[in-house]
């Protein structure tokens, strides 16, 4: 901003100032393309000015070229009737910018009598003009920049979730299992501050065909503004099967710095620019991150972990039902009954038939149930990793098996351009007519297999899993596009069980026969120590480690948001991270026991740090204008707020001179 010379200040401060005021008016127009108001080029209205209230005394207290709170009045001639009389906010003058300049002689111009234009006032028309019809004049009240902020609601400084499906009716069987009617609904997002609308309708019609509900008549709301939980909605009438509830609501921003909030206010109120100093305190302030309270485990990055109310642990059931879209791609005349997790036919055929589905899984676990009645020949191949849906030219891996007396032999093949090369074989001693196998492949390329009886010739019940061993170790092919099942033939009653049932998969590689996930990872959100970070404190945690299981805590950091993180480093309980940057993240890695029947638990963890600034836990802007919000920030910090002569938003320490 231009500095005044002492001579210019003397001219402006004299009781008989020798300068001319120039007044410029900039009206504003809504720009649909930019989705905001823009100011038009200024118009010189000096010739219409009949009177302007004295501003010198006000300038003495606020300083030249800075005008925040004071107001002034401007009387204009309307003899030419150029100012339309319209006392609504649609009046083109509403929110217009008025700038007053003092044109004084440039003392450095010598005899050239050049003028210097010095801005001494900047204000806005925020109230309707007062027209004096008899005098053919109008009076405008000009308000400072801060008053302009009162015309903007701060509510949009929040997160809007539109038409979210927050509940759907259960069928009668599910409802009986729950033991209660479905009337209480909790939003999936936390820190909900305002629910804009609730709709109810059939799921098949989606939200567009749902009916708007009325609060108190149809539902009641509770638990708004809950930092670590969602809002609760109590329906007066329970949901029925096939129905859904959609909601539109706003959530407050959480754990934001004062300067972040101030910048959002400046942006939302369409300030031209801003200069915001980080808020720092003279003494260290201790801050902390802890889970599960007050931060929910749900806020972290869940990588195959199970989040309970009181802990993080491994998934109790790590396999998912198959969700394949199968189609017959070879011997298409054979009729199959295809579901997402089964392939069944009772038709007889003597030429191979291939069924294929898209699948990108190249590592993890595949589990299949199938018949095992055929003898001394391979009647079925599972191309669980396949580059194409054509077995004659694909690359990948395939599993087959055949029965010899009381032994089934599992064969693992590497498939190279359609050619099969056996790379592993393992026996399973059984008299099964129906069996289930579990095949896993680790990132290191180890193929392992388990099997169990489902039905036997003696009519025995389903048996426990038997670990057969490692079939092979190979990482030739590391990607997949399809999964194929090839049925070699079906030519008699002994082959009627050559079907596929209950396919399950997981991206996790099993190391046992249990249902608990073999491993899991969970990461905290990235923790920001802030610009005023002094030091990080101690990492603390509480775990429950069952016999045979294991779990470790790791940390990593970076100095700048755009930087790459350091490698993960093992953390000890009570340890202070060594040379961490501003940003820190924690990682929990849990491993089940060998049988996948027991899991470790992370009960709680956290880290503290010391800083010279603080964050706002929950930025609740309900019923606040942008002026209210910025004043609250000023009270919180003791900082000075204002605008400079060019409309730049300023938030500075109290010792800073806004001039």
């Amino acid at each position: 901003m231009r500095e005044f010379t002492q001579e210019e200040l003397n001219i402006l401060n004299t009781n008989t100032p020798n300068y001319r005021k120039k007044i410029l008016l900039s009206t504003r127009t809504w720009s649909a393309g930019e989705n905001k108001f823009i100011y038009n080029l200024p118009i010189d209205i000096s010739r219409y000015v009949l009177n302007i209230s004295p501003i010198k005394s006000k300038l003495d207290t606020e300083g030249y070229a800075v005008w925040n709170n004071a107001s002034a009045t401007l009387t204009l001639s309307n003899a030419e009737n150029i100012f339309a009389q319209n006392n609504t906010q649609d009046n083109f003058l509403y929110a217009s910018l008025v700038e007053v300049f003092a044109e004084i002689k440039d003392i450095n111009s010598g005899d050239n009598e050049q003028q210097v234009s010095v801005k001494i006032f900047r204000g806005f028309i925020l109230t309707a003009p007062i027209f004096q019809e008899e005098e053919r004049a109008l009076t405008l009240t000009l308000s400072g920049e801060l008053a302009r902020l009162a015309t903007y609601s701060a509510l949009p400084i929040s997160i809007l979730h539109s038409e979210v499906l927050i509940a759907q009716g259960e069928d009668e069987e599910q409802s009986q299992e729950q033991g209660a009617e479905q009337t209480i609904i909790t939003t999936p997002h936390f820190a909900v501050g305002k629910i804009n609308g609730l709709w109810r309708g059939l799921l098949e019609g989606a939200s567009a065909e749902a009916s708007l509900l009325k609060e108190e008549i149809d539902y009641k709301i509770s638990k708004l503004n809950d930092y670590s939980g969602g809002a609760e909605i109590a329906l007066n009438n329970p949901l029925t099967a096939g129905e859904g509830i959609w909601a539109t609501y706003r959530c407050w921003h959480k754990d934001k710095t004062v300067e972040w909030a101030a910048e959002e206010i400046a942006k939302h109120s369409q300030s031209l620019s801003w200069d915001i100093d980080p808020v720092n305190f003279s003494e260290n302030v201790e801050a902390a991150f802890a889970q599960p309270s007050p931060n929910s485990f749900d806020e972290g990055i869940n990588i195959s972990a199970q989040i309970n109310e009181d802990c993080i642990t491994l998934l109790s059931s790590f396999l998912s039902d198959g969700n394949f879209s199968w189609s017959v791609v070879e011997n298409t005349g054979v009729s199959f009954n295809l579901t997402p997790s089964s392939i069944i036919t009772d038709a007889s055929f003597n030429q191979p038939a291939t069924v294929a589905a898209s699948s990108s899984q190249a590592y993890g676990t595949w589990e299949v149930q199938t018949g095992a009645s055929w003898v001394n020949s391979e009647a079925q191949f599972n191309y669980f990793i396949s580059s194409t849906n054509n077995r004659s030219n694909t690359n990948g891996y395939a599993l087959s098996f055949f029965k010899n007396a009381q032994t089934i032999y599992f064969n693992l093949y590497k498939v190279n351009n359609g050619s099969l090369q056996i790379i592993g074989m393992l026996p399973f001693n059984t008299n099964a007519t129906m069996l289930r196998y579990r095949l896993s492949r680790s990132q290191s390329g180890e193929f392992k297999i388990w099997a169990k009886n489902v039905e036997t010739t003696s009519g025995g019940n389903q048996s426990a899993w038997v670990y057969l061993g490692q079939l092979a170790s190979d990482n030739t092919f590391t990607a997949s596009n399809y999964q194929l099942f090839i049925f070699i033939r079906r030519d008699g009653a002994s082959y009627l069980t050559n079907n596929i049932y209950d396919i399950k998969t997981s991206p996790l590689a099993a190391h046992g026969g249990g249902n608990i996930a073999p491993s899991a990872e969970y990461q905290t959100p990235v923790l920001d120590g802030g610009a005023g970070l002094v030091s990080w404190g101690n990492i603390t945690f509480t775990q429950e480690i069952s016999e045979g299981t294991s779990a470790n805590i790791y940390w990593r950091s970076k100095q700048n948001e755009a930087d790459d993180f350091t490698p993960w480093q093992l953390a000890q309980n009570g340890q202070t991270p060594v040379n961490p940057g501003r940003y820190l993240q924690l990682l929990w890695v849990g491993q089940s026991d060998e049988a996948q029947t027991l899991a470790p638990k992370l009960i709680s963890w956290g880290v503290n740090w010391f800083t010279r600034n603080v964050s706002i836990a929950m930025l609740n802007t309900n019923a606040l204008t942008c002026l209210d919000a910025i004043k609250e920030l000023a009270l919180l910090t003791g900082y000075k707020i204002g605008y400079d002569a060019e409309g730049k938003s300023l938030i500075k320490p109290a010792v800073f001179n806004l001039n």
Side-chain angles (χ1 to χ4, degrees):
M1 185 166 58
R2 179 183 181 278
E3 295 288 339
F4 294 158
T5 66
Q6 187 59 49
E7 289 81 0
E8 290 169 344
L9 290 173
N10 291 339
I11 294 173
L12 291 170
N13 284 315
T14 182
N15 290 327
T16 56
N18 184 20
Y19 61 85
R20 184 181 76 90
K21 295 189 182 78
K22 181 173 72 172
I23 293 96
L24 300 182
L25 172 71
S26 300
T27 58
R28 72 173 189 175
T29 305
W30 177 256
S31 171
E34 299 181 53
N35 196 33
K36 67 177 184 179
F37 286 105
I38 58 173
Y39 282 96
N40 301 311
L41 293 175
I43 304 168
D44 190 339
I45 60 170
S46 303
R47 70 188 184 95
Y48 301 106
V49 175
L50 299 177
N51 183 49
I52 184 170
S53 60
I55 60 175
K56 175 183 176 297
S57 60
K58 297 172 184 176
L59 290 173
D60 286 342
T61 59
E62 289 214 43
Y64 290 102
V66 177
W67 196 279
N68 293 320
N69 299 303
S71 63
T73 57
L74 184 65
T75 303
L76 302 176
S77 169
N78 199 23
E80 301 175 17
N81 201 33
I82 65 169
F83 300 106
Q85 185 167 350
N86 184 341
N87 290 336
T88 69
Q89 287 194 6
D90 294 330
N91 190 297
F92 83 101
L93 288 176
Y94 183 76
S96 294
L97 167 65
V98 176
E99 294 178 301
V100 180
F101 294 82
E103 293 191 328
I104 62 178
K105 178 184 176 183
D106 186 351
I107 62 172
N108 297 316
S109 63
D111 297 332
N112 294 329
E113 294 290 325
Q114 293 183 5
Q115 299 289 313
V116 174
S117 187
V118 179
K119 187 185 298 183
I120 59 174
F121 177 77
R122 187 173 191 270
F124 296 83
I125 304 170
L126 301 178
T127 58
I130 299 174
F131 286 84
Q132 297 96 38
E133 295 185 16
E134 293 184 2
E135 290 82 3
R136 302 186 71 182
L138 72 155
T139 299
L140 304 174
T141 298
L142 308 179
S143 302
E145 185 101 28
L146 282 180
R148 184 182 64 82
L149 269 62
T151 66
Y152 291 88
S153 167
L155 182 61
I157 305 175
S158 55
I159 306 165
L160 179 64
H161 298 280
S162 298
E163 298 183 7
V164 179
L165 178 63
I166 60 173
Q168 48 187 316
E170 302 166 343
D171 58 33
E172 186 175 347
E173 182 178 342
Q174 288 176 313
S175 182
Q176 289 176 353
E177 290 177 1
Q178 294 291 331
E181 294 180 322
Q182 189 177 6
T183 58
I184 304 298
I185 301 169
T186 303
T187 61
H189 302 97
F190 295 173
V192 176
K194 186 178 181 64
I195 294 183
N196 301 57
L198 214 64
W199 292 264
R200 180 172 184 163
L202 295 177
L203 290 169
E204 62 184 18
S207 60
E209 298 180 16
S211 299
L212 179 65
L213 301 181
K214 295 181 180 180
E215 190 175 356
E216 298 300 330
I217 296 176
D218 299 312
Y219 64 93
K220 294 181 180 179
I221 303 171
S222 61
K223 294 189 178 181
L224 291 176
N225 307 317
D226 187 341
Y227 179 95
S228 56
E232 281 193 0
I233 299 164
L235 298 176
N236 292 340
N237 295 306
L239 281 178
T240 59
E243 280 191 311
I245 295 287
W246 291 264
T248 293
Y249 50 88
R250 287 189 179 274
C251 298
W252 308 129
H253 289 287
K254 297 167 60 177
D255 301 315
K256 297 299 184 182
T257 63
V258 172
E259 48 267 31
W260 182 92
E263 184 174 326
E264 289 301 304
I265 293 169
K267 289 178 182 176
H268 180 65
S269 60
Q270 297 186 12
S271 297
L272 299 179
S273 59
W274 43 88
D275 182 6
I276 301 169
D277 281 4
V279 177
N280 294 317
F281 296 94
S282 58
E283 297 182 1
N284 291 350
V285 177
E286 183 176 359
F289 172 87
Q291 288 181 322
S293 179
N295 299 85
S296 167
F297 281 130
D298 288 332
E299 292 189 338
I301 302 169
N302 181 11
I303 307 174
S304 67
Q306 180 170 298
I307 300 175
N308 298 332
E309 289 185 2
D310 58 349
C311 70
I312 288 179
T313 185
L314 309 182
L315 291 173
S316 57
S317 181
F318 79 106
L319 289 163
S320 300
D321 292 336
N323 189 25
F324 297 95
S325 180
W326 300 106
S327 60
V328 182
V329 296
E330 181 185 11
N331 202 351
T332 55
V334 178
S335 176
F336 284 91
N337 179 14
L338 303 173
T339 73
S341 60
S342 65
I343 305 170
I344 301 171
T345 183
D346 288 333
S348 295
F349 55 90
N350 53 22
Q351 295 294 326
T354 300
V355 178
S358 297
S359 172
S360 60
Q361 182 173 320
Y363 296 91
T365 303
W366 298 260
E367 197 172 290
V368 172
Q369 182 172 315
T370 184
S373 296
W374 53 91
V375 178
N376 294 331
S377 64
E378 297 167 305
Q380 172 198 120
F381 287 82
N382 177 0
Y383 283 61
F384 56 98
I385 298 171
S386 182
S387 61
T388 74
N389 65 353
N390 186 339
R391 66 186 177 97
S392 65
N393 62 10
T394 192
N395 295 317
Y397 299 93
L399 182 76
S400 73
F401 58 92
F402 66 91
K403 191 173 186 179
N404 185 352
Q406 297 296 307
T407 302
I408 287 179
Y409 294 90
F410 287 94
N411 294 330
L412 179 66
Y413 295 91
K414 178 162 61 176
V415 185
N416 192 343
N417 196 27
S419 176
L420 276 68
Q421 173 191 352
I422 190 166
I423 58 175
M425 175 187 288
L426 286 171
F428 176 40
N429 296 323
T430 180
N431 62 348
T433 57
M434 181 80 68
L435 63 81
R436 189 168 188 83
Y437 63 81
R438 175 180 290 185
L439 175 67
S440 74
R441 184 195 190 191
S442 67
Q443 290 293 325
S444 60
E446 294 180 346
F447 293 88
K448 297 180 179 180
I449 191 167
W450 295 256
K452 67 178 179 179
N453 299 330
V454 177
E455 296 177 4
T456 65
T457 55
S458 58
N461 295 328
Q462 183 167 296
S463 64
W465 285 106
V466 176
Y467 176 53
L468 305 183
Q470 181 174 315
L471 277 162
S473 181
D474 190 273
N475 248 338
T476 304
F477 303 113
T478 60
S480 179
N481 297 313
Y482 293 91
Q483 181 169 358
L484 316 179
F485 279 96
I486 293 89
F487 301 90
I488 301 303
R489 67 185 188 281
R490 182 185 293 274
D491 55 6
S494 62
Y495 297 102
L496 288 180
T497 56
N498 188 12
N499 295 319
I500 302 297
Y501 306 92
D502 193 22
I503 302 170
K504 295 182 182 293
T505 61
S506 172
L508 301 173
H511 57 235
N515 290 327
I516 288 176
S519 62
E521 294 185 10
Y522 172 86
Q523 298 174 9
T524 65
V526 176
L527 309 178
D528 182 2
L533 177 68
V534 176
S535 64
W536 287 95
N538 298 329
I539 298 172
T540 58
F541 49 87
T542 302
Q543 299 193 95
E544 183 181 301
I545 308 297
S546 301
E547 184 177 357
T549 70
S550 65
N552 288 306
I553 310 295
Y554 300 86
W555 67 272
R556 65 181 182 178
S557 74
K558 59 182 179 180
Q559 184 57 41
N560 302 300
E561 193 171 8
D563 295 345
D564 292 330
F565 273 107
T566 61
W568 289 108
Q569 301 181 55
L570 182 65
Q572 303 297 328
N573 206 352
Q575 172 193 357
T576 300
V578 179
N579 298 322
R582 169 176 169 174
Y583 298 91
L584 191 81
Q585 191 173 30
L586 303 181
L587 167 68
W588 180 77
V589 178
Q591 297 278 344
S592 74
D593 64 333
E594 188 64 29
Q596 287 181 227
T597 57
L598 298 173
K601 295 179 180 179
L602 173 64
I603 307 300
S604 65
W605 63 351
V607 61
N608 65 329
W609 65 95
F610 300 92
T611 180
R612 293 290 175 88
N613 58 23
V614 296
S615 295
I616 302 170
M618 191 162 57
L619 191 63
N620 184 339
T621 57
N622 191 34
L624 296 180
T625 67
C626 285
L627 179 58
D628 296 329
I630 202 71
K631 284 183 175 179
E632 288 292 328
L633 296 183
L635 287 173
L636 174 67
T637 61
Y639 272 34
K640 185 181 290 188
I641 58 176
Y643 283 81
D644 70 6
E646 305 307 322
K648 177 187 289 184
S649 175
L650 303 171
I651 295 188
K652 299 288 182 178
V655 296
F656 178 81
N657 188 348
L658 288 177
N659 298 340

